[in-house]
Amino acid sequence: MGNTIMFIILAVVIIGAALLCVTTKRIMRAATYLLFVLFGVAGIYFLLDYTFLGAAQIAIYAGGVTMIYVFAIQLVSKRTLQGLVEHVKGSRLIGGGLAALAGLVVVCLILFKTGFILNESVADVEVPMDKIGEALVGADKYQYVLPFEFISLFLLACIIGGLVVARKEEKEA
């Protein structure tokens, strides 16, 4: 019963912070709400007794949000940080809503096609932590070390691109 109550509290925090993150116009507030979402997900990992994943969630993603703060301060103009420039147009809002609806339809179709929602025996299977660790750092089929390496290269390219953009604006001013 206590786990259920804690899950409901964490779910409400995650959903509320996620909605605030995507609806706020101020970039610093959005990054702060994202931090709450990431801490909530870590709380769910801890609730499931996946302490390694919870600690990794806090260490990696909370550090990543700190980097978002640094890039937001360095790359965005003062007027945008104060929320005085950005306004969402109606066409962008409709387009974003349609894209979100299409994504929801795709996720629901996949969940029904795989039987994940209708088949409750999937939830009864407990995966040991050593199997999860092997899947994360293994290089065989259905293991994730290669995608992690691609993501790290992509993030490095984003950091270098951000620095190049910051240097160009500095030279123009």
Side-chain angles (χ1 to χ4, degrees):
M1 183 66 175
N3 283 344
T4 305
I5 293 172
M6 194 62 197
F7 175 79
I8 291 171
I9 291 170
L10 287 171
V12 168
V13 168
I14 290 170
I15 291 170
L19 288 174
L20 288 170
C21 179
V22 298
T23 57
T24 186
K25 293 182 180 181
R26 297 178 184 246
I27 192 167
M28 300 304 280
R29 288 184 185 171
T32 304
Y33 294 138
L34 179 62
L35 185 63
F36 287 128
V37 170
L38 297 175
F39 277 130
V41 172
I44 289 179
Y45 285 144
F46 287 125
L47 192 64
L48 293 171
D49 288 332
Y50 288 148
T51 54
F52 173 74
L53 288 178
Q57 176 81 13
I58 291 173
I60 294 169
Y61 293 111
V65 170
T66 307
M67 288 303 297
I68 289 174
Y69 278 119
V70 171
F71 281 118
I73 292 169
Q74 288 182 347
L75 298 178
V76 179
S77 68
K78 288 181 184 178
R79 292 190 58 154
T80 304
L81 281 175
Q82 294 169 351
L84 302 175
V85 174
E86 182 89 21
H87 295 289
V88 179
K89 295 180 181 176
S91 61
R92 284 181 135 188
L93 187 64
I94 292 171
L98 290 174
L101 184 64
L104 179 66
V105 168
V106 168
V107 168
C108 289
L109 287 175
I110 290 171
L111 289 176
F112 282 122
K113 184 176 180 181
T114 59
F116 188 77
I117 292 177
L118 302 175
N119 186 6
E120 294 187 13
S121 65
V122 175
D124 295 336
V125 177
E126 185 172 334
V127 180
M129 195 62 195
D130 60 338
K131 297 290 183 191
I132 294 173
E134 288 174 12
L136 288 176
V137 297
D140 294 334
K141 188 175 183 179
Y142 303 119
Q143 294 182 339
Y144 298 102
V145 75
L146 192 60
F148 280 154
E149 291 300 323
F150 282 132
I151 289 171
S152 67
L153 289 174
F154 176 72
L155 290 174
L156 178 64
C158 290
I159 290 170
I160 293 171
L163 291 174
V164 168
V165 169
R167 296 287 180 198
K168 283 184 181 179
E169 287 181 2
E170 195 175 279
K171 288 179 182 178
E172 291 173 3

